[in-house]
Amino acid sequence: MNNSTSSEHPLEEWATVLLINRIVYRGYFLFLILAGTCGNLLTATTLYRSKLRKYTTCKFMAVCALLNIGVLLTNTLNMMLTQGYDIHLRSQFNFAWCRLNAFVAQWIRGMASWALVIVAFERFQQSKTIRRTPVKKKNIVLLTMVVTGFILLIFNLPYLLFTGSKVVLAENTTFLACMFDKHSQNKFQRLFASTSNWQELVTYIIVPCILALILNIFIIKNSFLSSTNNEHLKSRSRSRTRRVTTMLLASNIGFLALVAPAQIFYAISSDPQREIDSHDEYKSFIVQGNIYQCLINTYYAASFVFCFVSSSIFRHEISKLFYRKYKTKRSIPNETKEGYSSYENRPFLQHPRLSSFAYSNCSPNNEHMIERRSTNRATDSAIETAGLMQQ
């Protein structure tokens, strides 16, 4: 009796864990991919409108939104298919396909992290002394991202050269594991299997977070606490600059709050040298991994939320973007109506239209004005006639 009840509880617990796993990776991750892709596209489009793209910060943030789309369509999509549907996309074909996918995914993750540091540094430079007329730096965004991308390309070459190994499963079937294998005969595979997680953690999370945090502190100090260097600007210019700064700070705080702690705890708990023995420990590992991955991938889908909540200038541009066509269509009949409206609404056309016929249906006040003007005209004509007679 006790054996049957003890065997039923683990089955129920595993069923609950599998249900949570399906909800997270099939439902929530699909929502993040769809909503995040649309939101990031809308964010990039809005930040690159004429009113905002004069700020270099907005151009860099538009690039960050596009990189977030890349993270969603590589890392998030791969995790959804692997964990939710048991479809190993990177292992479908050969080593070249596996390594190219792993390399692109890691490269985009690195670019998304370091792009925040770059835009924070650019905003820090602008916050030190804000000029009346912004200095135009042609192609500065393109050149900066090309140099950063080239450095990260070199740094991620091990994924393009050594990722993947053949693993023998049950019934002598082979499977292409698109990862670094710590039991591989290749010494580079073993080396990167033991160091890749911590290497990614330091270069993609810890160092960017420290730099972004320091730069954000100085940005807040220069933009909000000590505003003496911005007194030469008009209040409207200062307000717009601060709203752009607030939009950047919200994105950086989101990265520091969601990605950094989750990625650190995930790297610690998913140590490849760690051996999991008990079922309870394995279930705890799965639940923790789900929580960490939800936090990490939520950030990459929430750029639109950060910008919309933190900046009124972004909300204003969103409203203009959505209601532009509606306002254009609505203004056409109004202009047509004004073209055929009465002359009382257009005082610059009243003088040549003054007559008893034009004002036959007017109010008593208008009739009184007409009588006074006709009397004045009669008086003037009588004076002229008397003058001529005297001559």
Side-chain angles (χ1 to χ4, degrees):
M1 185 72 177
N2 293 331
N3 293 332
S4 61
T5 55
S6 62
S7 61
E8 289 176 359
H9 288 294
L11 292 176
E12 293 178 357
E13 293 177 358
W14 277 110
T16 305
V17 170
L18 292 176
L19 178 61
I20 296 173
N21 199 70
R22 289 178 180 176
I23 293 174
V24 169
Y25 289 104
R26 291 188 180 184
Y28 185 63
F29 272 44
L30 179 61
F31 167 76
L32 290 180
I33 292 171
L34 297 177
T37 302
C38 297
N40 283 313
L41 279 175
L42 184 58
T43 302
T45 304
T46 306
L47 291 173
Y48 215 75
R49 286 173 63 85
S50 58
K51 192 173 183 179
L52 291 178
R53 69 168 175 258
K54 63 182 179 180
Y55 300 100
T56 312
T57 302
C58 293
K59 292 183 181 180
F60 276 114
M61 292 188 66
V63 175
C64 290
L66 296 178
L67 290 171
N68 290 342
I69 295 176
V71 175
L72 292 173
L73 296 180
T74 54
N75 287 281
T76 308
L77 179 62
N78 179 69
M79 292 197 67
M80 183 191 74
L81 295 176
T82 303
Q83 302 293 334
Y85 297 94
D86 200 22
I87 300 174
H88 300 274
L89 181 63
R90 297 179 183 176
S91 304
Q92 291 294 318
F93 302 106
N94 50 21
F95 280 103
W97 171 259
C98 161
R99 291 171 179 174
L100 182 62
N101 274 268
F103 168 77
V104 171
Q106 292 300 118
W107 181 81
I108 291 178
R109 278 187 60 219
M111 287 291 293
S113 299
W114 282 100
L116 284 176
V117 179
I118 293 170
V119 68
F121 180 74
E122 189 276 336
R123 188 75 256 168
F124 165 70
Q125 287 185 317
Q126 296 292 331
S127 66
K128 289 191 296 184
T129 302
I130 303 177
R131 301 173 177 85
R132 287 187 176 91
T133 57
V135 179
K136 294 183 179 180
K137 300 178 181 179
K138 293 184 178 180
N139 301 325
I140 186 65
V141 177
L142 179 61
L143 291 175
T144 304
M145 300 312 296
V146 167
V147 172
T148 307
F150 181 74
I151 295 173
L152 291 176
L153 185 145
I154 296 175
F155 186 79
N156 288 292
L157 278 179
Y159 290 94
L160 192 61
L161 300 176
F162 305 112
T163 306
S165 61
K166 291 285 186 178
V167 179
V168 180
L169 302 177
E171 299 179 357
N172 294 325
T173 58
T174 58
F175 176 75
L176 175 59
C178 194
M179 56 183 293
F180 294 120
D181 186 9
K182 64 180 179 180
H183 300 294
S184 175
Q185 296 180 356
N186 190 335
K187 61 179 181 180
F188 294 105
Q189 282 264 354
R190 296 194 302 269
L191 174 63
F192 291 116
S194 59
T195 60
S196 60
N197 283 343
W198 292 101
Q199 189 177 6
E200 294 171 17
L201 182 65
V202 172
T203 54
Y204 292 167
I205 304 298
I206 295 178
V207 175
C209 283
I210 293 174
L211 293 177
L213 182 61
I214 295 172
L215 291 171
N216 287 329
I217 292 173
F218 281 104
I219 290 170
I220 294 172
K221 176 179 176 296
N222 294 336
S223 300
F224 299 97
L225 301 182
S226 59
S227 58
T228 56
N229 55 353
N230 300 334
E231 289 179 352
H232 62 281
L233 292 177
K234 295 181 180 179
S235 59
R236 188 174 182 181
S237 299
R238 288 200 301 268
S239 177
R240 286 181 179 177
T241 304
R242 287 180 177 179
R243 282 180 282 180
V244 172
T245 304
T246 305
M247 188 165 52
L248 169 65
L249 292 174
S251 299
N252 279 277
I253 291 172
F255 182 78
L256 294 172
L258 295 176
V259 178
Q263 194 71 47
I264 291 172
F265 288 121
Y266 185 75
I268 294 173
S269 61
S270 62
D271 189 356
Q273 305 296 331
R274 176 185 175 186
E275 298 292 341
I276 299 176
D277 298 326
S278 63
H279 292 287
D280 293 334
E281 189 177 1
Y282 187 66
K283 285 184 287 187
S284 176
F285 171 76
I286 293 176
V287 173
Q288 291 178 12
N290 291 341
I291 295 173
Y292 299 149
Q293 290 298 333
C294 285
L295 292 175
I296 294 169
N297 290 277
T298 298
Y299 164 76
Y300 294 109
S303 295
F304 177 79
V305 178
F306 293 141
C307 295
F308 187 84
V309 171
S310 62
S311 178
S312 59
I313 191 172
F314 183 85
R315 294 193 294 269
H316 179 66
E317 290 299 313
I318 284 288
S319 63
K320 287 171 61 178
L321 181 64
F322 275 107
Y323 293 106
R324 180 179 58 184
K325 295 182 180 180
Y326 173 72
K327 288 182 180 179
T328 304
K329 292 180 180 179
R330 190 178 177 182
S331 63
I332 293 175
N334 289 337
E335 294 176 357
T336 306
K337 184 177 179 180
E338 290 178 359
Y340 295 95
S341 61
S342 61
Y343 288 96
E344 290 82 2
N345 294 330
R346 295 188 290 175
F348 57 88
L349 293 177
Q350 286 183 1
H351 297 287
R353 306 286 289 183
L354 288 175
S355 65
S356 60
F357 176 79
Y359 285 87
S360 60
N361 295 326
C362 293
S363 62
N365 291 330
N366 291 331
E367 294 178 357
H368 176 68
M369 293 294 297
I370 294 170
E371 291 177 359
R372 287 185 60 185
R373 292 187 180 184
S374 61
T375 303
N376 292 334
R377 289 177 181 175
T379 304
D380 294 338
S381 62
I383 292 173
E384 291 177 358
T385 304
L388 291 173
M389 291 176 65
Q390 290 178 0
Q391 292 177 356

